[in-house]
């Protein structure tokens, strides 16, 4: 696979998160929080647990536990982590809405609204997060170890894998430090590179390609992923091609099973996901003290807790993550528009796909103090 480079593509679009704080959002929150049956399962267990719902026709639908860690790029999901901090009796929550690259505006808009609704149902205890496909936060990835991204979605009629009627697909295994992503990529040679691992999936026959520059985590996940697929299919055959030790003929034979180019490739290829360059931290304030909402930068560099004022909302841009901090005394207008301002800020700057975390004054969590501000 000499000369091959990583395929870089992300088809992003504007979100309707700007509707947060409008009468529509307030009406949904008011009428739906207690009547949404999907949320009641959270209180039916007194154990720590992960809950996942997929948005199907504006409705949060429980995602099968056997498919946890699998996400379709045409969908949006809500993921709730219910846990007890060490030494404490009460439960805490992290709630994430995950946006697939090809999810519709209706789907990811509903996921965003329903995340606010779930927060209301749980008495405003959860810390809220926005996740975008391929740019998931470390916290989100930690729930699964491996995230598998697949083509399709609710509108395309998702079905579980069957070997009797099956279309070939190519999976890429990429990542490191126990957070490894398994994603479906275009079925062609152009998708391959020497830095990752790949699984060529024909249903009952699996070909595992180990790139010569792949790291140990990618290699391990490729093995475990292929083994899991074999088990699910009651004994699918696995053939391994290690690029570093394979003969030229073996590599050529593997490549021959894939088209050279991708028929679906288009002009939208870009370097959006080429990696994030960390900038100096920046602190912004959202306040309506003047009688109207004003968004202004107040500091750069070392952001200290003493710079935050409980009367307002503050946004911390770390360069690879955005934290929206809401003070206890923030006005209704500031609270309602905080996530919208954070989202719109990212749309006007580089790296708009990075995660957003919304935290409350006094309930920030360890991650906020570790990555966003200095306690001083």
């Amino acid at each position: 696979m000499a000369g091959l480079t990583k395929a870089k593509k992300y088809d992003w679009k504007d979100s309707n998160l700007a509707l947060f704080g409008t009468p529509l959002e307030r009406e949904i929150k008011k009428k739906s929080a207690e009547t949404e049956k999907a949320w009641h399962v959270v209180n039916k267990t007194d154990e720590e647990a992960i809950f996942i719902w997929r948005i199907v026709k504006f409705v949060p639908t429980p995602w099968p536990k056997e498919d946890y860690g699998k996400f379709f790029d045409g969908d949006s999901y809500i993921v709730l982590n219910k846990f007890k901090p060490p030494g404490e009796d009460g439960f805490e929550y992290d709630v994430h809405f995950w946006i697939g690259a090809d999810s519709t505006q209706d789907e990811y808009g509903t996921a965003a609204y329903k995340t606010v609704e779930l927060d209301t149902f749980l008495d405003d205890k959860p810390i809220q997060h926005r996740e975008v496909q391929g740019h998931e936060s470390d916290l989100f990835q930690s729930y699964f170890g491996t995230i598998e991204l697949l083509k399709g979605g609710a509108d395309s009629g998702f079905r579980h894998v069957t070997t009797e009627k099956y279309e070939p697909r190519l999976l890429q295994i990429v990542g490191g430090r126990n957070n490894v992503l398994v994603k479906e990529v275009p079925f062609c040679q152009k998708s391959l590179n020497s830095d990752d691992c790949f699984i060529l999936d024909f249903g009952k026959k699996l070909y595992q390609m180990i790139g010569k520059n792949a790291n140990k985590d990618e290699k391990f996940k490729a093995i475990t992923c292929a083994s899991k697929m074999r088990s699910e299919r009651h004994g699918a055959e696995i053939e391994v091609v290690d690029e570093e030790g394979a003969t030229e003929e073996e590599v050529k034979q593997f490549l021959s099973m894939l088209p050279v180019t991708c028929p679906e490739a288009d002009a939208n290829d870009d370097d959006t996901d080429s990696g994030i360059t960390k900038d100096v931290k920046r602190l912004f304030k959202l306040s309506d003290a003047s009688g109207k909402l004003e968004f202004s930068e107040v500091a750069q560099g070392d952001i200290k807790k003493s710079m935050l004022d409980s009367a307002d909302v503050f946004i911390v841009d770390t360069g690879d993550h955005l934290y929206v901090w809401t003070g206890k005394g923030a006005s209704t207008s500031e609270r309602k528009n905080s996530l919208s301002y954070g989202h719109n800020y990212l749309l006007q700057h580089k790296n708009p796909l990075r995660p957003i975390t919304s935290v409350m004054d006094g309930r920030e969590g360890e991650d906020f103090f570790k990555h966003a501000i200095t306690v001083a």
Side-chain angles (χ1 to χ4, degrees), residues 45-270:
T45 177
D46 197 34
E47 303 290 335
E48 296 183 322
I50 300 288
F51 303 88
I52 302 179
W53 299 268
R54 177 175 67 161
I55 302 302
V56 181
K57 296 180 178 179
F58 301 97
V59 177
T61 305
W63 192 235
K65 289 188 180 297
E66 61 269 24
D67 290 327
Y68 277 20
K70 296 180 181 179
F71 298 92
F72 283 79
D73 62 8
D75 289 327
S76 288
Y77 299 76
I78 296 173
V79 177
L80 177 72
N81 179 31
K82 178 181 181 180
F83 66 98
K84 286 185 178 180
E88 297 187 19
D89 295 328
F91 285 106
E92 298 291 339
Y93 308 88
D94 281 287
V95 59
H96 309 249
F97 65 95
W98 183 91
I99 306 171
D102 295 323
S103 176
T104 67
Q105 188 180 68
D106 286 343
E107 288 170 336
Y108 57 75
T110 300
Y113 288 141
K114 288 293 185 178
T115 295
V116 175
E117 179 185 283
L118 178 55
D119 179 89
T120 300
F121 178 78
L122 295 172
D123 299 321
D124 298 323
K125 289 183 178 180
I127 292 176
Q128 297 180 39
H129 309 262
R130 183 200 76 167
E131 308 284 350
V132 176
Q133 178 183 327
H135 300 263
E136 293 82 359
S137 65
D138 290 342
L139 177 63
F140 186 84
Q141 294 186 59
S142 72
Y143 302 149
F144 311 106
T146 298
I147 295 178
E148 186 173 348
L149 300 178
L150 304 174
K151 298 292 184 183
D155 290 340
S156 62
F158 160 70
R159 296 290 184 272
H160 282 285
V161 172
T162 61
T163 54
E164 291 78 14
K165 185 179 180 181
Y166 194 77
E167 290 189 9
R169 60 179 181 161
L170 180 64
L171 302 179
Q172 179 183 15
I173 297 90
V174 58
R177 287 180 294 184
N178 299 317
N179 288 328
V180 180
L181 189 69
V182 180
K183 60 180 180 179
E184 185 175 352
V185 293
F187 192 79
C188 63
Q189 293 181 25
K190 186 179 178 182
S191 296
L192 301 172
N193 68 76
S194 296
D195 295 331
D196 303 316
C197 293
F198 295 84
I199 295 176
L200 185 52
D201 182 6
F202 287 108
K204 274 295 189 179
K205 179 76 174 185
L206 306 172
Y207 294 88
Q208 181 182 320
M209 167 61 79
I210 301 175
K212 62 183 179 182
N213 299 325
N215 63 48
K216 60 180 180 62
D217 296 295
E218 292 167 338
K219 293 178 181 179
F220 178 75
K221 284 299 180 182
I223 293 172
T224 56
C225 182
S227 297
K228 181 181 179 182
M229 292 166 66
R230 175 172 60 186
S231 176
E232 291 174 344
R233 300 169 194 186
H234 307 290
E237 184 181 349
I238 300 177
E239 184 173 319
V240 179
V241 180
D242 189 332
E243 186 187 9
E244 189 171 18
T247 65
E248 184 178 345
E249 184 60 33
E250 288 174 329
V251 174
K252 187 180 296 185
Q253 185 176 354
F254 178 84
L255 293 174
S256 69
M257 292 182 282
L258 292 164
V260 176
T261 58
C262 308
E264 66 271 33
D266 55 36
N268 291 326
D269 288 329
D270 56 45

Side-chain angles (χ1 to χ4, degrees), residues 324-341:
V324 180
W325 183 89
T326 302
K328 294 178 181 178
S331 69
T332 299
S333 178
E334 291 166 351
R335 290 172 182 267
K336 293 293 185 182
N337 289 282
S338 59
L339 191 57
S340 172
Y341 268 79

